[in-house]
């Protein structure tokens, strides 16, 4: 029987229970090489690129594109690139697969292969204590006599994982051996450029020169997002004015049924829970932002760029939370968790739904630093590269729909946080200043509070402090 292995739904983060196979990037029965992009897997908030950790081939793709599968569930059958595999072999393997078989599956989705034929007992080797290697990988390497000095780690910051050592310990036949057909010929044209296969393909398609470029991935590897960041400005610059996009509509009298994405399901679950279990109350205030507009104009004239209005508001919220810690809270059942730093989640709209990356320790950051952090997090959110710790948690949220022309709205609390601030558009309005009529730029703010943890007076004091900080922004730059 052929040496078949399970390719199971991987697990990223302790809360992940299922994932969606967004797209298979290789065809059934066609060999691929180590490092090739195999699949795109969607979780609640991000899309992950799954790359091959060794040469191989999928004799059968089980998961359907767009299908949802539990962590550890068999989504494909894996074999060596040159291995002769019969349909009967695959059928027998699938029939004998059990979910428990994939409990040790790595982040790349593959379960360990069957035991290799009997071989001489390995010699235990000592592993340097300062090597970046997981405890399980260290123990396995010592037991199998694997030299980790030749292993390139696939974990964070190049850390060597259990599967890295496992792959290095396999004899050539276990990973297929022999020459594989190269499915990514564009890689040849890019020589030794340190980039993912998908990044190389995009670079060739769009004429982007990657020579000398350092990417944002591990060890400076160039990623899909790095290439797209260079492509988008060119595309915008060359694009000619075009007619509005005509979206396909269902025929009259019919309805299109659209299955919720993992992100949309997560949003629906969280917000339904929030509105049905959290007693919301709302505090609204009109705030002048002319002084902030003046600071922005000065910064723009001096440096050519300036933080956004929202960056100033995030900074103001952070300082107000430091003065009113009873608002800087999370609610967990009958416990209120009060935080010492302002970790502010900033709502970002993506093509797949809303996500709230967190500016950690915003009370210790300048407005300029907050601006840089928000831009970086927003870009990662839109390209699906956020890590779980970058959008889970937080002690407060800010949602701004002013850029869409919305004057005022009330936001739903992002549990387990205790409050969220909704920010509307700035509008010019006549107001009385010093017994005289004048015009000012006004923004409507609305604070949604969890009444289980925050009383009306506490929320009102927070809003009064926030209003003062925004209208006197010199206090924000200290």
């Amino acid at each position: 029987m052929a040496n078949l292995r399970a390719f199971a739904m991987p697990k990223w983060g302790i809360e992940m229970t299922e994932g969606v196979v967004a797209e298979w990037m290789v065809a059934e029965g066609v060999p691929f090489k180590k490092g090739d992009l195999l699949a795109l897997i969607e979780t609640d908030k991000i899309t992950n690129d799954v790359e091959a950790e060794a040469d191989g081939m999928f004799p059968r793709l089980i998961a359907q594109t767009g299908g949802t599968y539990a962590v550890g569930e068999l989504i494909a059958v894996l074999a060596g690139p040159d291995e002769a595999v019969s349909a009967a072999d695959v059928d027998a393997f699938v029939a004998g697969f059990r979910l428990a078989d994939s409990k040790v599956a790595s982040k790349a989705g593959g379960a360990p292969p069957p035991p290799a034929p009997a071989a001489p007992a390995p010699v235990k080797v000592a592993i340097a204590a300062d090597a970046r290697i997981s405890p399980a990988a260290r123990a396995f390497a010592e037991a199998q006599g694997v030299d980790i000095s030749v292993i390139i780690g696939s974990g964070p910051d190049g850390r060597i994982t259990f599967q890295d050592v496992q792959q290095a310990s396999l004899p050539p036949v276990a990973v297929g051996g022999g020459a594989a057909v190269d499915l990514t010929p564009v890689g040849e044209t890019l020589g030794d450029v340190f980039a993912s296969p998908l990044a190389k393909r995009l670079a060739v398609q769009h004429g982007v020169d990657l020579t000398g470029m350092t990417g944002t991935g591990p060890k400076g590897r160039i990623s899909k997002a790095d290439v797209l960041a260079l492509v988008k400005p060119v595309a915008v610059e060359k694009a000619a004015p075009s007619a509005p996009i005509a979206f396909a509509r269902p025929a009259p009298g019919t309805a299109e049924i659209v299955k919720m994405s993992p992100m949309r399901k997560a949003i629906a679950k969280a917000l339904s829970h929030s509105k049905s279990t959290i007693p919301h109350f709302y505090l609204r205030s009109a705030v002048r932002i002319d002084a902030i507009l003046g600071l922005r104009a000065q910064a723009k004239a001096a440096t050519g760029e300036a933080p956004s209005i929202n960056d100033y508001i995030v900074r103001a919220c952070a300082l107000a939370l430091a003065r009113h810690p009873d608002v800087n809270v999370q609610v967990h059942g009958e416990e209120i968790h009060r935080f010492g730093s302002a970790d502010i989640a900033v709502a970002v709209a993506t093509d797949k739904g809303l996500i709230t990356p967190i500016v950690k320790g915003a009370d210790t950051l300048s407005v300029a630093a907050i601006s840089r952090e928000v831009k970086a997090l927003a870009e990662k959110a839109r390209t699906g590269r956020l890590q779980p710790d970058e959008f889970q948690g937080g002690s407060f949220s800010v949602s701004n729909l002013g850029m869409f022309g919305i004057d005022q709205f009330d936001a739903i609390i992002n549990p387990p946080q205790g409050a969220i601030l909704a920010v509307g558009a700035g509008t010019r309005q006549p107001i009385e200043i010093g017994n005289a009529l004048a015009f000012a730029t006004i923004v409507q703010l609305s604070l949604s509070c969890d009444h289980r943890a925050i009383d009306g007076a506490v929320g009102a004091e927070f809003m009064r402090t926030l209003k003062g900080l925004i209208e006197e922004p010199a206090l924000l730059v200290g």
Side-chain angles (χ1 to χ4, degrees), residues 38-86:
L38 302 182
L40 302 181
I41 305 292
E42 290 184 1
T43 60
D44 287 353
K45 297 291 186 180
I46 55 179
T47 299
N48 299 278
D49 294 351
V50 181
E51 297 182 354
E53 295 194 353
D55 294 359
M57 177 264 291
F58 289 129
R60 183 170 300 173
L61 299 176
I62 296 173
Q64 300 296 314
T65 299
T68 302
Y69 299 87
V71 167
E73 187 172 351
L74 186 66
I75 59 176
V77 178
L78 180 65
D82 300 322
E83 199 159 3
V85 182
S86 69

Side-chain angles (χ1 to χ4, degrees), residues 447-470:
L447 182 71
S448 305
C449 298
D450 184 340
H451 217 328
R452 297 174 300 173
I454 302 173
D455 293 331
V458 172
E461 287 291 343
F462 170 84
M463 286 293 278
R464 180 161 63 181
T465 298
L466 180 63
K467 179 182 175 76
L469 289 167
I470 293 174

Side-chain angles (χ1 to χ4, degrees), residues 322-460:
R323 299 183 192 179
H324 302 278
D326 285 342
V327 179
N328 194 37
V329 298
Q330 289 183 355
V331 183
H332 297 269
E334 297 182 352
E335 294 182 344
I336 298 173
H337 295 192
R338 187 180 295 114
F339 293 87
S341 61
D343 296 335
I344 298 181
V346 180
V348 174
T350 73
D351 58 354
K352 295 181 180 178
L354 188 71
I355 192 167
T356 51
I358 300 167
V359 180
K360 298 181 179 179
D363 51 317
T364 65
L365 301 177
S366 67
V367 176
I370 289 173
S371 179
R372 291 191 295 269
E373 183 72 3
V374 169
K375 287 177 182 176
L377 289 170
E379 177 62 21
K380 293 179 74 173
R382 294 187 178 105
T383 56
R385 295 188 295 114
L386 280 177
Q387 298 302 307
D389 66 322
E390 292 178 313
F391 62 82
Q392 294 176 354
S395 58
F396 188 84
S397 288
V398 173
S399 180
N400 191 334
L401 293 179
M403 67 282 293
F404 297 102
I406 301 301
D407 293 332
Q408 183 176 358
F409 68 104
D410 298 319
I412 300 175
I413 294 171
N414 183 19
Q417 296 170 13
I420 181 172
L421 183 74
V423 182
T427 59
R428 294 290 289 174
Q429 299 179 20
I431 62 170
E432 181 182 353
I433 301 178
N435 295 323
L437 186 65
F439 278 86
T441 305
I442 304 294
V443 163
Q444 300 290 338
L445 304 180
S446 176
L447 182 71
S448 305
C449 298
D450 184 340
H451 217 328
R452 297 174 300 173
I454 302 173
D455 293 331
V458 172

Side-chain angles (χ1 to χ4, degrees), residues 116-325:
V123 179
K124 295 189 69 173
V125 297
I127 306 296
D130 59 348
R132 294 187 58 78
I133 182 171
S134 71
R138 179 188 300 278
F140 187 80
E142 291 176 347
Q144 298 296 319
V146 177
D147 180 7
I148 68 167
S149 65
V150 298
I151 299 176
I152 298 176
S154 62
D157 297 324
R159 192 173 192 237
I160 299 173
T161 67
F162 180 86
Q163 189 162 357
D164 292 332
V165 179
Q166 189 179 64
Q167 292 288 352
S169 71
L170 295 174
V173 67
V175 294
V181 177
D182 188 357
L183 298 182
T184 54
V186 296
E188 297 290 335
T189 67
L190 293 177
D192 296 327
V193 172
F194 188 39
S196 70
L198 180 57
K200 290 182 179 181
R201 285 195 289 273
L202 289 171
V204 171
Q205 291 170 5
H206 296 281
V208 176
D209 184 7
L210 302 183
T211 305
M213 179 179 175
T214 300
T216 58
K219 298 183 179 179
R221 192 183 197 201
I222 301 170
S223 68
K224 169 184 68 176
D226 297 325
V227 178
L228 291 178
L230 298 176
V231 170
K232 290 177 181 177
V234 176
V236 171
E237 184 178 331
K238 293 182 178 179
S242 58
I245 299 174
F247 293 98
R249 293 189 302 171
T254 66
E256 179 185 7
I257 299 176
V258 180
K259 188 176 181 180
M260 281 190 176
S261 67
M263 179 182 289
R264 179 55 58 189
K265 286 194 290 186
I267 292 171
K269 181 179 178 180
L271 296 187
S272 296
H273 174 78
S274 177
K275 283 296 285 185
S276 62
T277 64
I278 297 177
H280 287 58
F281 74 90
Y282 308 97
L283 300 171
R284 304 179 181 95
S285 181
V287 180
R288 300 200 307 271
I289 61 168
D290 295 278
I292 287 180
L293 293 174
L295 284 180
R296 291 191 72 247
Q298 293 174 11
K300 188 78 172 178
T303 65
E305 58 182 8
S308 69
I309 298 296
N310 204 58
D311 297 328
Y312 282 95
I313 291 176
V314 170
R315 168 68 171 166
C317 287
L319 295 183
L321 289 170
R323 299 183 192 179
H324 302 278

